[in-house]
Amino acid sequence: MAAVTLRRARCWCPSLLQFFRLPVAQVHLSRPAMRASQQDFENAMNQVKLLKQDPGNQVKLKLYALYKQATDGPCNMPKPGVFDLVNKAKWEAWNSLGSLPKETARQNYVDLVSSLSPSAEASSQGKHEADEKAQKSKDIVVTSEDGITKIVLNRPTKKNALTFEMYQDIILALKNASTDNSAITVFTGTGDYYCSGNDLTNFTSAAGGMEEAASKGAVVLREFVNSFIDFPKPLVAVVNGPAVGIAVTLLGLFDAVYASDKATFHTPFSHLGQSPEACSSYTFPKIMGSAKATEMLLFGKKLTAREAWAQGLVSEVFPDSTFEKEVWTRLKGYAKLPPNSMRISKELIRNNEKEKLHAVNAEECTTLKAKWLSEECINAIMNFVSRKAKL
Ligand SMILES: CCCC/C=C/CC(=O)SCCNC(=O)CCNC(=O)[C@H](O)C(C)(C)COP(=O)(O)OP(=O)(O)OC[C@H]1O[C@@H](n2cnc3c(N)ncnc32)[C@H](O)[C@@H]1OP(=O)(O)O
């Protein structure tokens, strides 16, 4: 059986920003010679897209190298330039396989994927285990107290940027919260930021490159936003600091938004060569009118908390010095209201447009998938990753 041993280490390539401090994979393939069929190979490729846990960049590089070796044979590309960090790392991983035969690369790819995938038994274990996973996730902390389920974005060193794993954990946390004993569910962030939006390295660290990241991203995004559209209880955002990208657009699907006066609201989609998501192409013009929505979604105008309140995106703004105390006192009071009444009232409001929201979500995801592969977007992301430019 293939065994993957992970050890934490500083990266072998000091210039690769996002590849720093990531697990290094040592893959020992001691399995007796076997032939993986083309079908096994394709199944393994599909399995990779469904991995719930990010296997780390080193494993992803290994997967990429084995995939290229299995499909194209030995590395036949010119070595990318020294500043093309991501492609250079990929090239090196592929080139390191030398003249490994295609069949062996295919088998090693299948073995590696099967060592990463949870077994059928593990994935069919009950909800209890699912709850535990959400609770244990280090980047999303879920607690339930005083009738409130709190979902905290807990990645302050990265301004709470959302990784693929965090999207999956939030989907799970919302699923659990929809049936737990709490009356309301609240999102907030740890540290000085509420959330800096999508983790831009989601796109640069995918084993199969941008194409694979775009396909996976569109699937994950659609399911993620659906879980907000369908969430049955009052959903409240406690915006403790700046919010960027999807952290802002999602607010149009919340039932109440409370903001510190230190919070800002920024949707730099055009700067990033991207387009709006989380149904904001529908909710924002509805909330603030098309002229103001255009300033945010097309021109990337950053709003202060008071401006966002004036546009109807925020329910109320509080001085930062008393924000936490005032908001949580208020929410604890709301959580004592009859839960079924709140749920039914929300259902009445949401049912008027649920179908529309699902259709908008689907269309936005399709559009984004194409945008993520555009030159405009790839350049913007590479600029961020290589720190040449900041918003
Ligand atoms: C699959 C579904 C996809 C859904 C798509 C959604 C679209 C979006 O959400 S678009 C918005 C994406 N977000 C951004 O463009 C923000 C990018 N970040 C920044 O511009 C800046 O980091 C900041 C303005 C948020 C903060 O700047 P500041 O100077 O105060 O701090 P930094 O030193 O830049 O950041 C600290 C640390 O955090 C990392 N980081 C911050 N934001 C992100 C991010 N979005 N993705 C990845 N990493 C992020 C930053 O790289 C720093 O890390 P290091 O200390 O390791 O360098």
Side-chain angles (χ1 to χ4, degrees):
M1 273 288 277
V4 177
T5 317
L6 298 175
R7 68 183 162 81
R8 296 202 74 77
R10 286 212 160 254
C11 185
W12 33 268
C13 173
S15 56
L16 261 184
L17 290 156
Q18 206 42 43
F19 289 15
F20 282 156
R21 294 170 240 123
L22 289 165
V24 172
Q26 294 169 327
V27 183
H28 309 289
L29 298 173
S30 53
R31 169 186 244 227
M34 257 184 71
R35 296 228 151 195
S37 65
Q38 181 60 25
Q39 188 57 56
D40 292 336
F41 185 53
E42 276 165 23
N43 289 346
M45 284 192 278
N46 288 331
Q47 247 176 309
V48 167
K49 290 181 200 149
L50 299 174
L51 284 178
K52 291 232 162 94
Q53 268 193 315
D54 189 325
N57 288 345
Q58 294 301 326
V59 175
K60 288 191 256 183
L61 278 175
K62 185 87 194 166
L63 284 169
Y64 166 78
L66 288 170
Y67 169 83
K68 292 295 283 178
Q69 190 87 6
T71 51
D72 294 359
C75 182
N76 53 7
M77 308 277 289
K79 186 172 183 177
V82 71
F83 295 115
D84 193 355
L85 304 176
V86 173
N87 284 321
K88 189 164 148 282
K90 288 163 82 175
W91 182 92
E92 280 164 352
W94 183 12
N95 193 49
S96 74
L97 296 181
S99 57
L100 189 76
K102 277 186 172 183
E103 294 73 19
T104 314
R106 191 162 71 179
Q107 179 67 58
N108 290 359
Y109 181 96
V110 170
D111 285 342
L112 180 52
V113 172
S114 85
S115 75
L116 299 172
S117 307
S119 68
E121 291 134 347
S123 60
S124 67
Q125 277 171 12
K127 181 174 178 297
H128 181 66
E129 190 172 278
D131 288 355
E132 295 237 304
K133 190 195 171 298
Q135 301 282 335
K136 274 185 198 156
S137 161
K138 65 178 178 8
D139 295 334
I140 303 289
V141 176
V142 185
T143 51
S144 216
E145 207 182 348
D146 299 322
I148 300 172
T149 290
K150 205 165 146 184
I151 301 176
V152 184
L153 309 175
N154 187 40
R155 206 179 165 223
T157 55
K158 298 286 178 185
K159 309 291 183 192
N160 298 325
L162 297 166
T163 60
F164 276 132
E165 191 181 355
M166 289 165 77
Y167 289 111
Q168 300 285 8
D169 287 340
I170 291 170
I171 292 169
L172 187 59
L174 284 176
K175 191 163 168 243
N176 294 338
S178 68
T179 55
D180 69 11
N181 291 331
S182 64
I184 61 180
T185 299
V186 180
F187 270 81
T188 192
T190 302
D192 58 342
Y193 260 66
Y194 174 65
C195 172
S196 64
N198 185 46
D199 188 311
L200 293 170
T201 65
N202 284 340
F203 296 108
T204 54
S205 54
M210 288 294 280
E211 278 196 22
E212 188 182 300
S215 300
K216 181 175 174 184
V219 172
V220 171
L221 179 62
R222 187 157 173 199
E223 190 188 350
F224 178 75
V225 174
N226 278 345
S227 64
F228 283 81
I229 297 173
D230 294 331
F231 191 69
K233 298 177 182 176
L235 190 60
V236 180
V238 171
V239 186
N240 52 298
V244 186
I246 191 166
V248 177
T249 53
L250 268 181
L251 296 175
L253 296 173
F254 278 69
D255 303 298
V257 179
Y258 299 122
S260 150
D261 58 8
K262 274 169 72 181
T264 53
F265 300 81
H266 192 197
T267 47
F269 300 128
S270 299
H271 301 70
L272 290 167
Q274 298 188 29
S275 53
E277 77 288 286
C279 298
S280 58
S281 60
Y282 171 69
T283 57
F284 275 33
K286 202 175 130 214
I287 290 168
M288 59 189 78
S290 66
K292 293 294 179 187
T294 295
E295 285 196 305
M296 283 194 83
L297 299 178
L298 274 63
F299 303 151
K301 181 179 178 193
K302 191 196 283 187
L303 301 192
T304 63
R306 297 216 180 280
E307 287 166 340
W309 169 78
Q311 302 312 335
L313 186 63
V314 166
S315 315
E316 195 167 333
V317 180
F318 298 80
D320 191 62
S321 54
T322 55
F323 176 59
E324 296 285 332
K325 190 165 179 283
E326 286 196 61
V327 167
W328 291 109
T329 305
R330 183 180 303 192
L331 288 174
K332 282 179 194 166
Y334 290 163
K336 292 197 178 85
L337 292 168
N340 288 333
S341 284
M342 290 198 283
R343 184 190 272 261
I344 285 165
S345 298
K346 172 162 181 176
E347 195 177 324
L348 282 170
I349 299 169
R350 187 47 57 95
N351 277 355
N352 289 325
E353 53 181 6
K354 215 178 215 183
E355 219 176 295
K356 173 76 180 167
L357 290 170
H358 281 297
V360 171
N361 183 27
E363 195 185 351
E364 287 177 347
C365 291
T366 307
T367 307
L368 257 177
K369 186 176 163 186
K371 286 302 298 167
W372 285 328
L373 296 176
S374 69
E375 205 183 322
E376 287 178 344
C377 179
I378 292 171
N379 284 342
I381 288 174
M382 286 308 174
N383 276 344
F384 177 76
V385 171
S386 61
R387 316 300 278 176
K388 281 187 196 134
K390 275 210 193 154
L391 299 168

